[in-house]
Amino acid sequence: MKRQLVLEGKPVADAIREKLVSQFSECEATLATFIIGNNAPAHVYKRSLLKCAESLGVRTRDVELPESVTQQEAEASLRALSDDPAVTGILPLMPVPPQIKQMTLMSCLDPKKDMDCLHPLNSGEFYLGISPWGPCTPRACIALLDYYHIPLVGKRVVMVGYGDVVGRPLTLMLVDRHATVTVCRSKTKNLPNILSQADVILSAVGKPNFITEDMVRENCVLVDIGLSSLDGKMVGDISEGAKLKKAAAYTPVPGGVGVLSNLMVMETLTRNL
Ligand SMILES: Nc1nc(=O)c2c([nH]1)NC[C@@H]1CN(c3ccc(C(=O)N[C@@H](CCC(=O)O)C(=O)O)cc3)C=[N+]21
């Protein structure tokens, strides 16, 4: 058997939770989730956020709008939530349906209550490198790698996927850590050739088995951030074969990065206490 490190989210979550418990015990806070439509991973995340908040004694608010909502209705709803003095922080779930202009909607958030760096002021400061409050799921990846002392400085790191919630901001965080980062997208030619040279692969594509055993180097580190439903189960982007037979370390799905995202949101909430 290969010696492998399983990058479990749980111990990292326990360590972060411990710090947060005492911070929230002294203050009253309310986290609101804001979701439009029926995207499965968004609903999984919403449920885990509400559960996590309640476990820390944080009050919750759950705003759900139908897939068919208009721009105007969505903006009015988000603005009302933002203006409510009882609401400490808001987590708008992505994606939004095609008729909704995401950036215009996110401009309706009070930037201080924006928990996932979605308001253009916050994302602007983050992308300029003048604010540490980046989006939560990318921060969860970095927290996980730090906890397990996975080195990034000078490493050949491949980011697969360039979505606005994970891939794009995570790319910047990895470069900030002095990794040598290659970004691959769906049109990348010869993906296996690029992946086979990587020390660390992070994938946030949302396609089951997008990365398979034959594509990756022996003893690589695999961070699986993709999430999609396959036969009623939530699965990642990276095949079991790649993780079990090739990796020196890998994140499980579920139980990896996913279990940390919600705690990063709670950490961001402490900014407003
Ligand atoms: N503004 C925004 N930020 C996001 O970070 C964001 C988003 N929108 N929209 C949806 C996706 C999806 N996502 C998940 C995070 C954690 C779990 C999670 O808790 N996963 C558990 C499994 C839970 C279960 O299987 O029930 C785990 O990986 O162990 C799931 C999904 C964040 N996203």
Side-chain angles (χ1 to χ4, degrees), residues 41-42 44-45 48 91-94 116 118 137 165 227 254-256 258-259 261:
V44 171
Y45 190 32
S48 88
L91 199 297
L93 279 304
M94 296 297 133
D116 212 16
L118 292 162
T137 297
V165 175
L227 200 58
V259 302
S261 298

Side-chain angles (χ1 to χ4, degrees), residues 5-22:
L5 180 58
V6 183
L7 306 172
E8 301 264 9
K10 176 100 182 9
V12 198
D14 291 343
I16 299 168
R17 174 177 290 275
E18 204 172 326
K19 276 189 279 174
L20 291 173
V21 168
S22 64

Side-chain angles (χ1 to χ4, degrees), residues 34-35 39-49 91-95 106 115-118 135-138 165-166 224-227 233-234 252-262 265:
F34 179 88
I35 191 165
N39 180 266
H43 279 271
V44 171
Y45 190 32
K46 192 198 81 167
R47 278 192 298 276
S48 88
L49 281 164
L91 199 297
L93 279 304
M94 296 297 133
M106 291 308 122
M115 294 294 104
D116 212 16
C117 198
L118 292 162
C136 296
T137 297
V165 175
V166 180
D224 197 347
I225 319 149
L227 200 58
K233 264 196 333 185
M234 297 309 288
V253 175
V257 175
V259 302
L260 290 183
S261 298
N262 49 24
V265 176

